[in-house]
Amino acid sequence: MNKLSLTALVSQQLDLARTASSGRSAHTVYGGHEHSLRQTLIALDAGQRLGEHENPGEATVHVLHGRVRLSAGDDSWDGSAGDLLIVPETRHDLEAVEAAVVLLTVALDRSPR
């Protein structure tokens, strides 16, 4: 069994995002291409966004620090520390209203089609 301190990772990734030219940083804490479940800590400096992208599979965004806005078309949902946002099944965008860190959890469908 492995144990991680999300509190320590939040601080570390936020520092990295603030000094990165992109204003963001990410670290996979569990999973990867060989797993169906993937959890990634994403830090965004204030005003930064991921940019509109496709839904990667069933996904949630758990806000660990700061405030974010998840948008899909004309709909948007605001989240602050402690909130869990369900990622819509359509193209969407995530913006840091203020410096923020989220835990993105994605369950990929690995069944044969």
XYZ file of all heavy atoms in Angstrom:
848
model
N 0.844 -1.183 0.000
C 0.000 0.000 0.000
C 0.881 1.235 0.000
O 1.893 1.284 0.689
C -0.899 -0.006 1.238
C -1.807 1.191 1.281
S -2.967 1.128 2.638
C -2.237 2.331 3.716
N 0.486 2.218 -0.764
C 1.182 3.498 -0.789
C 0.296 4.562 -0.163
O -0.926 4.489 -0.252
C 1.505 3.918 -2.223
C 2.550 3.040 -2.843
O 3.438 2.540 -2.160
N 2.455 2.836 -4.140
N 0.932 5.530 0.444
C 0.197 6.642 1.050
C 0.812 7.935 0.530
O 2.034 8.074 0.476
C 0.319 6.569 2.570
C -0.346 7.730 3.270
C -0.124 7.657 4.765
C -0.585 8.926 5.427
N -0.291 8.942 6.849
N -0.039 8.865 0.143
C 0.408 10.164 -0.343
C -0.239 11.263 0.481
O -1.390 11.138 0.890
C -0.001 10.361 -1.800
C 0.581 9.413 -2.827
C -0.122 9.600 -4.155
C 2.068 9.652 -2.983
N 0.480 12.350 0.674
C -0.096 13.511 1.337
C -0.562 14.487 0.262
O 0.253 15.133 -0.397
C 0.940 14.199 2.238
O 0.435 15.454 2.658
N -1.881 14.549 0.056
C -2.402 15.502 -0.917
C -2.124 16.933 -0.483
O -1.899 17.806 -1.317
C -3.900 15.278 -1.132
C -4.280 13.990 -1.862
C -5.795 13.889 -1.986
C -3.627 13.893 -3.216
N -2.110 17.175 0.818
C -1.824 18.517 1.338
C -0.438 18.975 0.891
O -0.268 20.099 0.413
C -1.926 18.538 2.870
O -3.234 18.102 3.247
C -1.675 19.926 3.425
N 0.555 18.103 1.018
C 1.923 18.444 0.602
C 1.993 18.614 -0.913
O 2.650 19.540 -1.414
C 2.900 17.374 1.069
N 1.301 17.731 -1.653
C 1.319 17.830 -3.110
C 0.623 19.097 -3.611
O 1.051 19.687 -4.601
C 0.662 16.594 -3.732
C 1.495 15.320 -3.714
C 0.674 14.131 -4.195
C 2.746 15.478 -4.551
N -0.440 19.517 -2.937
C -1.129 20.754 -3.303
C -0.145 21.914 -3.245
O -0.030 22.709 -4.182
C -2.346 21.012 -2.385
C -2.817 22.457 -2.464
C -3.480 20.057 -2.730
N 0.569 22.019 -2.140
C 1.536 23.101 -1.952
C 2.627 23.051 -3.018
O 2.966 24.063 -3.635
C 2.164 22.951 -0.569
O 2.248 24.148 0.074
N 3.173 21.870 -3.235
C 4.257 21.690 -4.203
C 3.801 22.034 -5.623
O 4.484 22.776 -6.341
C 4.735 20.240 -4.148
C 5.804 19.907 -5.164
C 6.081 18.416 -5.207
O 5.164 17.590 -5.118
N 7.339 18.073 -5.350
N 2.652 21.511 -6.042
C 2.177 21.749 -7.402
C 1.760 23.204 -7.620
O 1.949 23.751 -8.702
C 1.029 20.798 -7.747
C 1.443 19.345 -7.837
C 2.543 19.114 -8.852
O 2.431 19.507 -10.002
N 3.625 18.477 -8.429
N 1.220 23.840 -6.590
C 0.852 25.252 -6.700
C 2.103 26.108 -6.888
O 2.120 27.019 -7.724
C 0.062 25.688 -5.465
C -0.790 26.938 -5.589
C -1.671 26.909 -6.828
C -1.631 27.115 -4.350
N 3.165 25.798 -6.151
C 4.438 26.513 -6.331
C 4.972 26.321 -7.744
O 5.452 27.273 -8.373
C 5.481 26.038 -5.313
C 5.213 26.537 -3.901
O 4.392 27.470 -3.734
O 5.816 25.986 -2.962
N 4.889 25.095 -8.262
C 5.361 24.820 -9.622
C 4.529 25.578 -10.657
O 5.080 26.125 -11.624
C 5.315 23.320 -9.902
C 6.347 22.462 -9.181
C 6.043 20.974 -9.373
C 7.757 22.785 -9.676
N 3.221 25.624 -10.466
C 2.351 26.337 -11.405
C 2.649 27.831 -11.417
O 2.668 28.456 -12.480
C 0.883 26.103 -11.050
N 2.899 28.379 -10.259
C 3.159 29.820 -10.162
C 4.459 30.214 -10.848
O 4.604 31.345 -11.297
C 3.182 30.246 -8.697
C 1.801 30.274 -8.083
C 1.820 30.706 -6.639
N 0.472 30.881 -6.138
C 0.087 30.525 -4.930
N 0.923 29.990 -4.076
N -1.171 30.719 -4.560
N 5.409 29.299 -10.946
C 6.693 29.625 -11.575
C 6.788 29.129 -13.019
O 7.712 29.498 -13.734
C 7.871 29.042 -10.755
O 7.719 27.622 -10.675
C 7.914 29.643 -9.366
N 5.831 28.320 -13.459
C 5.841 27.800 -14.833
C 5.339 28.861 -15.804
O 4.435 29.635 -15.475
C 4.962 26.555 -14.924
N 5.920 28.902 -16.994
C 5.482 29.883 -17.990
C 4.027 29.652 -18.401
O 3.329 30.585 -18.764
C 6.391 29.836 -19.216
O 6.350 28.549 -19.809
N 3.559 28.400 -18.315
C 2.170 28.074 -18.669
C 1.195 28.427 -17.550
O -0.012 28.461 -17.761
C 2.048 26.583 -18.971
O 2.317 25.827 -17.800
N 1.728 28.628 -16.338
C 0.864 28.915 -15.198
C 0.141 27.699 -14.671
O -0.846 27.814 -13.950
N 0.639 26.512 -15.035
C -0.015 25.297 -14.550
C 0.982 24.175 -14.335
O 2.109 24.207 -14.830
C -1.127 24.861 -15.477
C -0.718 24.672 -16.896
C -1.935 24.504 -17.766
N -1.525 24.058 -19.088
C -2.306 23.956 -20.102
N -3.576 24.261 -19.979
N -1.869 23.541 -21.265
N 0.541 23.190 -13.572
C 1.374 22.032 -13.260
C 0.451 20.849 -13.017
O -0.683 21.018 -12.575
C 2.208 22.319 -12.009
O 2.959 21.185 -11.653
N 0.937 19.652 -13.319
C 0.124 18.453 -13.109
C 1.012 17.303 -12.659
O 2.180 17.216 -13.037
C -0.620 18.082 -14.380
N 0.422 16.426 -11.843
C 1.145 15.264 -11.338
C 0.153 14.113 -11.181
O -0.841 14.248 -10.473
C 1.793 15.594 -9.987
C 2.467 14.438 -9.339
N 3.664 13.944 -9.782
C 2.092 13.662 -8.293
C 4.009 12.911 -9.013
N 3.066 12.725 -8.115
N 0.400 12.998 -11.879
C -0.463 11.830 -11.737
C -0.144 11.161 -10.406
O 0.999 10.779 -10.167
C -0.264 10.843 -12.900
O -0.607 11.514 -14.111
C -1.140 9.611 -12.740
N -1.155 11.057 -9.554
C -0.942 10.449 -8.232
C -1.318 8.978 -8.224
O -0.854 8.220 -7.377
C -1.694 11.208 -7.107
C -1.129 12.599 -6.938
C -3.188 11.254 -7.355
N -2.160 8.567 -9.179
C -2.503 7.150 -9.277
C -2.893 6.837 -10.710
O -3.547 7.627 -11.379
C -3.680 6.772 -8.362
C -4.053 5.317 -8.532
C -3.314 4.325 -7.889
C -5.076 4.943 -9.382
C -3.614 2.985 -8.085
C -5.382 3.609 -9.575
C -4.646 2.631 -8.934
O -4.927 1.313 -9.134
N -2.518 5.652 -11.152
C -2.947 5.174 -12.457
C -1.999 5.572 -13.557
O -0.814 5.779 -13.341
N -2.537 5.677 -14.717
C -1.756 5.947 -15.909
C -2.365 5.186 -17.059
O -3.487 4.681 -16.975
N -1.647 5.067 -18.143
C -2.177 4.450 -19.357
C -2.531 2.978 -19.184
O -3.377 2.460 -19.890
C -1.189 4.631 -20.511
C -0.967 6.062 -20.843
N -1.962 6.858 -21.371
C 0.109 6.861 -20.708
C -1.511 8.073 -21.543
N -0.246 8.106 -21.155
N -1.889 2.292 -18.256
C -2.156 0.865 -18.070
C -3.312 0.594 -17.110
O -3.675 -0.548 -16.880
C -0.889 0.139 -17.584
C -0.424 0.536 -16.203
C 0.363 1.844 -16.125
O 0.598 2.490 -17.154
O 0.720 2.229 -15.006
N -3.918 1.640 -16.541
C -5.019 1.491 -15.586
C -6.311 2.083 -16.145
O -6.288 2.968 -16.990
C -4.693 2.223 -14.277
C -3.539 1.642 -13.544
N -3.641 0.568 -12.706
C -2.233 2.004 -13.521
C -2.461 0.282 -12.196
N -1.584 1.130 -12.682
N -7.438 1.621 -15.640
C -8.730 2.205 -16.001
C -9.001 3.470 -15.202
O -9.698 4.366 -15.662
C -9.866 1.210 -15.733
O -9.722 0.091 -16.564
N -8.463 3.537 -13.979
C -8.651 4.694 -13.106
C -7.376 5.524 -13.106
O -6.268 4.995 -12.969
C -8.961 4.243 -11.678
C -9.165 5.359 -10.654
C -10.447 6.130 -10.960
C -9.223 4.785 -9.249
N -7.544 6.837 -13.269
C -6.391 7.743 -13.213
C -6.766 8.960 -12.368
O -7.829 9.548 -12.557
C -5.985 8.183 -14.618
C -4.738 9.076 -14.604
C -4.282 9.456 -16.000
N -5.289 10.276 -16.656
C -5.794 10.026 -17.861
N -5.418 8.979 -18.548
N -6.700 10.828 -18.379
N -5.898 9.315 -11.438
C -6.106 10.511 -10.612
C -4.902 11.432 -10.802
O -3.755 11.021 -10.607
C -6.261 10.134 -9.151
C -7.552 9.372 -8.903
C -7.757 9.065 -7.447
O -6.970 8.347 -6.852
N -8.817 9.618 -6.876
N -5.202 12.661 -11.182
C -4.164 13.636 -11.476
C -4.420 14.908 -10.687
O -5.530 15.442 -10.707
C -4.136 13.963 -12.985
O -4.010 12.747 -13.719
C -2.984 14.890 -13.314
N -3.393 15.383 -9.997
C -3.453 16.655 -9.291
C -3.081 17.740 -10.294
O -2.019 17.664 -10.919
C -2.454 16.634 -8.131
C -2.730 17.565 -6.976
C -3.963 17.110 -6.224
C -1.545 17.580 -6.045
N -3.952 18.713 -10.494
C -3.714 19.793 -11.450
C -3.741 21.117 -10.707
O -4.710 21.426 -10.007
C -4.781 19.812 -12.559
C -4.794 18.468 -13.302
C -4.538 20.980 -13.523
C -5.946 18.320 -14.267
N -2.661 21.887 -10.857
C -2.577 23.216 -10.238
C -2.618 24.266 -11.343
O -1.943 24.125 -12.363
C -1.293 23.350 -9.432
N -3.420 25.300 -11.131
C -3.546 26.400 -12.086
C -3.391 27.713 -11.351
O -4.051 27.943 -10.332
C -4.924 26.376 -12.758
C -5.299 25.132 -13.551
C -6.794 25.120 -13.850
C -4.507 25.080 -14.826
N -2.528 28.575 -11.864
C -2.407 29.910 -11.286
C -3.675 30.692 -11.643
O -4.398 30.338 -12.587
C -1.156 30.607 -11.839
C -0.653 31.713 -10.925
O -1.199 31.874 -9.811
O 0.290 32.412 -11.318
N -3.960 31.731 -10.906
C -5.174 32.526 -11.118
C -5.295 32.954 -12.576
O -4.327 33.416 -13.182
C -5.163 33.750 -10.213
N -6.489 32.753 -13.147
C -6.753 33.162 -14.519
C -6.357 32.147 -15.576
O -6.724 32.300 -16.744
N -5.641 31.119 -15.208
C -5.221 30.101 -16.175
C -6.359 29.117 -16.429
O -7.234 28.939 -15.600
C -3.985 29.343 -15.676
C -2.774 30.219 -15.504
C -2.348 30.858 -16.808
O -2.324 30.226 -17.857
N -2.018 32.136 -16.755
N -6.296 28.470 -17.595
C -7.332 27.502 -17.938
C -6.714 26.337 -18.683
O -5.631 26.445 -19.232
C -8.450 28.162 -18.720
C -7.995 28.836 -19.967
C -9.053 29.678 -20.690
N -10.418 29.327 -20.403
C -11.372 30.229 -20.124
N -11.091 31.502 -20.111
N -12.607 29.843 -19.893
N -7.455 25.233 -18.694
C -6.984 24.067 -19.433
C -7.315 24.186 -20.910
O -6.699 23.543 -21.739
C -7.601 22.780 -18.871
C -7.158 22.390 -17.466
C -7.807 21.079 -17.058
C -5.640 22.284 -17.387
N -8.293 24.994 -21.252
C -8.717 25.121 -22.643
C -9.738 24.044 -22.958
O -9.709 22.948 -22.397
N -10.642 24.361 -23.843
C -11.717 23.427 -24.160
C -11.147 22.123 -24.702
O -10.252 22.129 -25.550
C -12.659 24.058 -25.183
C -13.923 23.263 -25.368
C -14.905 23.954 -26.279
O -14.659 23.966 -27.497
O -15.912 24.468 -25.764
N -11.659 21.010 -24.190
C -11.181 19.691 -24.608
C -12.304 18.667 -24.467
O -13.315 18.924 -23.828
C -9.940 19.282 -23.808
C -10.150 19.288 -22.326
N -10.103 20.435 -21.567
C -10.428 18.287 -21.463
C -10.335 20.143 -20.296
N -10.543 18.844 -20.206
N -12.091 17.515 -25.076
C -13.071 16.431 -25.035
C -13.093 15.790 -23.657
O -12.099 15.814 -22.934
C -12.734 15.348 -26.074
C -12.813 15.809 -27.509
C -14.225 16.165 -27.953
O -15.204 15.632 -27.392
O -14.328 16.995 -28.875
N -14.210 15.163 -23.343
C -14.329 14.411 -22.104
C -13.498 13.133 -22.240
O -13.652 12.395 -23.205
C -15.800 14.069 -21.866
C -16.034 13.332 -20.576
O -15.307 12.415 -20.236
N -17.056 13.727 -19.863
N -12.612 12.865 -21.259
C -11.744 11.689 -21.356
C -12.410 10.386 -20.925
O -11.837 9.316 -21.068
C -10.610 12.036 -20.383
C -11.281 12.881 -19.349
C -12.331 13.678 -20.095
N -13.599 10.448 -20.401
C -14.311 9.295 -19.838
C -15.064 9.799 -18.623
O -15.126 10.997 -18.381
N -15.643 8.897 -17.851
C -16.311 9.349 -16.628
C -15.280 10.087 -15.780
O -14.188 9.573 -15.545
C -16.847 8.164 -15.837
C -18.125 7.595 -16.392
C -18.678 6.549 -15.462
O -19.385 6.911 -14.499
O -18.371 5.367 -15.707
N -15.632 11.289 -15.321
C -14.639 12.084 -14.604
C -15.286 13.006 -13.575
O -16.416 13.456 -13.743
C -13.824 12.914 -15.596
N -14.518 13.262 -12.521
C -14.900 14.238 -11.502
C -13.715 15.159 -11.237
O -12.562 14.787 -11.461
C -15.312 13.573 -10.169
O -14.200 12.833 -9.651
C -16.510 12.662 -10.348
N -14.028 16.345 -10.752
C -13.017 17.319 -10.339
C -13.295 17.653 -8.882
O -14.345 18.213 -8.560
C -13.076 18.600 -11.203
C -12.181 19.679 -10.635
C -12.697 18.289 -12.644
N -12.373 17.281 -8.001
C -12.478 17.594 -6.571
C -11.584 18.801 -6.318
O -10.370 18.715 -6.494
C -12.016 16.394 -5.750
C -12.127 16.589 -4.277
N -11.817 15.604 -3.394
C -12.522 17.651 -3.515
C -11.990 16.047 -2.165
N -12.420 17.287 -2.233
N -12.189 19.916 -5.938
C -11.424 21.140 -5.693
C -10.771 21.032 -4.314
O -11.460 20.906 -3.299
C -12.320 22.403 -5.773
C -11.470 23.657 -5.617
C -13.110 22.427 -7.082
N -9.439 21.076 -4.302
C -8.688 20.958 -3.052
C -8.252 22.321 -2.507
O -8.055 22.477 -1.310
C -7.448 20.084 -3.262
C -7.731 18.652 -3.733
C -6.418 17.947 -4.040
C -8.532 17.899 -2.693
N -8.098 23.293 -3.411
C -7.615 24.620 -3.012
C -8.107 25.639 -4.029
O -8.119 25.375 -5.228
C -6.078 24.619 -2.982
C -5.477 25.948 -2.690
N -5.244 26.385 -1.408
C -5.068 26.934 -3.514
C -4.702 27.592 -1.461
N -4.592 27.943 -2.722
N -8.521 26.804 -3.570
C -8.901 27.887 -4.470
C -10.293 27.744 -5.046
O -11.151 27.049 -4.492
N -10.499 28.423 -6.202
C -11.809 28.425 -6.855
C -11.631 28.197 -8.351
O -10.721 28.764 -8.957
C -12.545 29.741 -6.618
C -12.957 29.932 -5.174
C -13.848 31.135 -4.952
N -13.325 32.350 -5.555
C -14.044 33.171 -6.330
N -15.301 32.915 -6.599
N -13.498 34.260 -6.822
N -12.536 27.395 -8.923
C -12.496 27.096 -10.350
C -13.874 27.273 -10.969
O -14.883 27.327 -10.265
C -12.007 25.647 -10.625
C -10.590 25.443 -10.132
C -12.952 24.621 -10.025
N -13.886 27.343 -12.299
C -15.147 27.351 -13.044
C -15.021 26.296 -14.142
O -14.112 26.346 -14.964
C -15.410 28.721 -13.665
C -16.694 28.772 -14.502
C -17.118 30.190 -14.836
N -17.473 30.868 -13.590
C -16.907 32.017 -13.194
N -16.008 32.620 -13.932
N -17.280 32.574 -12.052
N -15.949 25.352 -14.134
C -16.028 24.314 -15.151
C -17.130 24.727 -16.115
O -18.256 25.000 -15.685
C -16.363 22.966 -14.488
C -16.517 21.750 -15.383
C -15.210 21.420 -16.086
C -16.983 20.556 -14.557
N -16.801 24.828 -17.404
C -17.770 25.302 -18.400
C -17.921 24.296 -19.522
O -16.951 23.658 -19.935
C -17.298 26.619 -19.023
O -17.082 27.592 -18.040
N -19.157 24.195 -20.005
C -19.467 23.372 -21.171
C -20.557 24.096 -21.946
O -21.687 24.221 -21.462
C -19.926 21.982 -20.753
N -20.209 24.618 -23.101
C -21.174 25.394 -23.874
C -21.633 26.605 -23.086
O -20.818 27.376 -22.579
N -22.941 26.774 -22.936
C -23.504 27.912 -22.205
C -23.641 27.647 -20.710
O -24.057 28.526 -19.963
C -24.885 28.279 -22.769
C -24.803 28.825 -24.188
O -23.741 29.397 -24.548
O -25.788 28.681 -24.937
N -23.304 26.446 -20.266
C -23.432 26.082 -18.853
C -22.091 26.210 -18.144
O -21.037 25.960 -18.733
C -23.928 24.642 -18.703
C -25.323 24.443 -19.254
O -26.168 25.342 -19.065
O -25.561 23.392 -19.877
N -22.140 26.598 -16.874
C -20.912 26.636 -16.075
C -21.253 26.340 -14.616
O -22.382 26.565 -14.170
C -20.201 27.980 -16.198
O -20.958 29.004 -15.614
N -20.251 25.797 -13.924
C -20.391 25.438 -12.522
C -19.170 25.945 -11.787
O -18.032 25.704 -12.221
C -20.477 23.912 -12.367
C -21.574 23.312 -13.198
C -22.855 23.068 -12.803
C -21.488 22.876 -14.557
N -23.568 22.510 -13.838
C -22.752 22.379 -14.926
C -20.460 22.868 -15.510
C -23.021 21.880 -16.197
C -20.723 22.370 -16.774
C -21.991 21.884 -17.096
N -19.389 26.660 -10.692
C -18.289 27.163 -9.873
C -18.022 26.186 -8.750
O -18.958 25.600 -8.185
C -18.626 28.541 -9.291
C -18.657 29.624 -10.364
O -18.052 29.423 -11.428
O -19.286 30.669 -10.129
N -16.747 26.026 -8.416
C -16.377 25.143 -7.320
C -15.305 25.774 -6.469
O -14.440 26.496 -6.974
N -15.367 25.522 -5.172
C -14.335 25.989 -4.245
C -13.896 24.797 -3.395
O -14.489 23.716 -3.469
C -14.851 27.141 -3.383
O -16.015 26.769 -2.695
N -12.863 25.003 -2.592
C -12.271 23.910 -1.811
C -13.350 23.069 -1.135
O -14.236 23.581 -0.466
C -11.302 24.466 -0.785
N -13.277 21.765 -1.374
C -14.228 20.829 -0.798
C -15.337 20.423 -1.757
O -16.040 19.445 -1.503
N -15.502 21.140 -2.868
C -16.563 20.824 -3.826
C -16.117 19.723 -4.785
O -14.940 19.636 -5.155
C -16.957 22.053 -4.647
C -17.713 23.087 -3.837
O -18.213 22.743 -2.743
O -17.809 24.239 -4.296
N -17.082 18.909 -5.205
C -16.854 17.877 -6.201
C -17.727 18.205 -7.406
O -18.951 18.303 -7.285
C -17.219 16.494 -5.654
C -16.955 15.330 -6.604
C -15.453 15.118 -6.769
C -17.614 14.066 -6.083
N -17.095 18.414 -8.551
C -17.806 18.733 -9.783
C -17.790 17.511 -10.696
O -16.741 16.888 -10.877
C -17.137 19.912 -10.501
C -16.986 21.198 -9.687
C -16.158 22.222 -10.460
C -18.346 21.768 -9.340
N -18.938 17.184 -11.255
C -19.035 16.081 -12.203
C -18.740 16.662 -13.590
O -19.407 17.600 -14.028
C -20.437 15.437 -12.191
C -20.871 15.082 -10.763
C -20.470 14.228 -13.122
C -19.943 14.186 -9.993
N -17.751 16.105 -14.258
C -17.365 16.610 -15.576
C -18.426 16.203 -16.596
O -18.790 15.027 -16.676
C -15.975 16.065 -15.986
C -15.604 16.528 -17.388
C -14.917 16.495 -14.974
N -18.934 17.171 -17.369
C -19.967 16.853 -18.357
C -19.410 15.962 -19.468
O -18.206 15.926 -19.711
C -20.378 18.223 -18.900
C -19.224 19.114 -18.614
C -18.564 18.581 -17.379
N -20.305 15.260 -20.150
C -19.897 14.332 -21.203
C -19.596 15.025 -22.523
O -19.392 14.366 -23.540
C -20.979 13.267 -21.400
C -21.134 12.368 -20.190
C -22.174 11.289 -20.401
O -22.618 11.082 -21.559
O -22.541 10.645 -19.411
N -19.555 16.345 -22.519
C -19.295 17.119 -23.736
C -17.961 17.858 -23.599
O -17.317 17.813 -22.545
C -20.417 18.148 -23.951
O -20.436 19.030 -22.814
C -21.765 17.484 -24.090
N -17.590 18.569 -24.661
C -16.381 19.403 -24.599
C -16.546 20.386 -23.444
O -17.638 20.903 -23.218
C -16.165 20.157 -25.915
C -15.745 19.223 -27.057
C -15.465 19.986 -28.333
N -14.379 20.937 -28.215
C -13.072 20.631 -28.266
N -12.702 19.375 -28.413
N -12.154 21.570 -28.174
N -15.460 20.642 -22.753
C -15.541 21.498 -21.571
C -14.198 22.187 -21.333
O -13.194 21.858 -21.966
C -15.947 20.674 -20.343
C -14.991 19.558 -20.066
N -15.050 18.361 -20.737
C -13.941 19.474 -19.222
C -14.077 17.581 -20.319
N -13.384 18.230 -19.399
N -14.207 23.127 -20.404
C -13.025 23.921 -20.062
C -12.996 24.081 -18.545
O -14.038 24.110 -17.897
C -13.131 25.292 -20.740
C -11.927 26.184 -20.498
O -10.845 25.678 -20.162
O -12.075 27.411 -20.658
N -11.798 24.176 -17.991
C -11.638 24.429 -16.560
C -10.765 25.661 -16.395
O -9.666 25.723 -16.944
C -10.989 23.234 -15.850
C -10.861 23.381 -14.331
C -12.239 23.292 -13.670
C -9.939 22.322 -13.769
N -11.269 26.654 -15.658
C -10.559 27.908 -15.430
C -10.361 28.115 -13.939
O -11.263 27.858 -13.142
C -11.376 29.072 -15.997
C -10.773 30.423 -15.717
C -11.670 31.574 -16.132
O -12.830 31.333 -16.510
O -11.213 32.719 -16.057
N -9.184 28.618 -13.575
C -8.914 28.970 -12.177
C -9.388 30.404 -11.943
O -8.784 31.353 -12.440
C -7.430 28.846 -11.866
N -10.468 30.563 -11.210
C -10.971 31.891 -10.858
C -9.963 32.569 -9.939
O -9.734 33.771 -10.008
C -12.363 31.782 -10.200
C -12.871 33.131 -9.737
C -13.354 31.121 -11.157
N -9.359 31.769 -9.067
C -8.196 32.187 -8.265
C -7.260 30.979 -8.265
O -7.658 29.893 -8.687
C -8.605 32.591 -6.845
C -9.256 31.511 -6.037
C -9.773 32.005 -4.684
O -10.320 33.116 -4.608
O -9.630 31.254 -3.709
N -6.024 31.159 -7.841
C -5.081 30.040 -7.837
C -5.760 28.817 -7.240
O -6.379 28.901 -6.184
C -3.829 30.406 -7.057
N -5.667 27.697 -7.946
C -6.442 26.530 -7.545
C -5.680 25.234 -7.803
O -4.825 25.163 -8.675
C -7.767 26.499 -8.307
N -6.055 24.217 -7.019
C -5.555 22.863 -7.227
C -6.762 21.933 -7.162
O -7.578 22.031 -6.250
C -4.513 22.456 -6.166
C -4.001 21.044 -6.440
C -3.352 23.442 -6.129
N -6.851 21.043 -8.158
C -7.944 20.088 -8.213
C -7.387 18.676 -8.357
O -6.268 18.486 -8.836
C -8.915 20.387 -9.387
C -9.512 21.778 -9.255
C -8.231 20.212 -10.738
N -8.183 17.717 -7.930
C -7.864 16.315 -8.145
C -8.838 15.810 -9.208
O -10.039 15.706 -8.961
C -8.015 15.497 -6.861
C -7.681 14.011 -6.991
C -6.199 13.806 -7.325
C -8.030 13.273 -5.700
N -8.303 15.567 -10.402
C -9.105 15.050 -11.501
C -9.080 13.529 -11.426
O -8.005 12.917 -11.429
C -8.518 15.503 -12.842
C -9.119 14.868 -14.096
C -10.584 15.271 -14.260
C -8.305 15.235 -15.316
N -10.250 12.923 -11.341
C -10.367 11.469 -11.332
C -11.098 11.055 -12.602
O -12.192 11.543 -12.883
C -11.142 10.977 -10.091
O -10.439 11.402 -8.915
C -11.267 9.467 -10.080
N -10.468 10.160 -13.366
C -11.026 9.703 -14.636
C -11.089 8.184 -14.632
O -10.104 7.521 -14.294
C -10.167 10.176 -15.831
C -10.728 9.647 -17.143
C -10.066 11.689 -15.861
N -12.247 7.651 -15.001
C -12.419 6.208 -15.181
C -12.595 5.972 -16.673
O -13.613 6.354 -17.253
C -13.620 5.707 -14.402
N -11.588 5.375 -17.294
C -11.626 5.122 -18.729
C -12.336 3.804 -19.005
O -12.194 2.850 -18.249
C -10.210 5.064 -19.295
C -9.379 6.333 -19.118
C -7.953 6.091 -19.548
C -9.988 7.480 -19.906
N -13.088 3.765 -20.082
C -13.774 2.541 -20.483
C -12.772 1.681 -21.252
O -12.357 2.047 -22.350
C -14.976 2.882 -21.358
C -15.758 1.654 -21.773
O -15.421 0.533 -21.335
O -16.714 1.826 -22.543
N -12.362 0.580 -20.684
C -11.379 -0.301 -21.303
C -12.012 -1.513 -21.980
O -11.326 -2.386 -22.437
C -10.385 -0.804 -20.246
C -9.583 0.289 -19.590
C -8.376 0.565 -20.416
N -7.508 1.492 -19.704
C -6.774 2.400 -20.306
N -6.782 2.488 -21.596
N -6.015 3.209 -19.598
N -13.362 -1.539 -22.047
C -14.017 -2.690 -22.658
C -13.835 -2.656 -24.167
O -13.819 -1.587 -24.779
C -15.499 -2.710 -22.294
O -16.134 -1.556 -22.778
N -13.704 -3.839 -24.792
C -13.551 -3.879 -26.250
C -14.840 -3.445 -26.937
O -15.924 -3.685 -26.454
C -13.245 -5.357 -26.536
C -13.644 -6.108 -25.324
C -13.684 -5.142 -24.177
N -14.691 -2.780 -28.053
C -15.880 -2.284 -28.781
C -16.059 -3.033 -30.052
O -15.259 -3.472 -30.708
C -15.716 -0.813 -29.067
C -15.601 -0.099 -27.758
C -16.057 1.283 -27.839
N -15.941 1.745 -26.459
C -16.566 2.724 -25.966
N -17.345 3.398 -26.687
N -16.434 3.081 -24.726
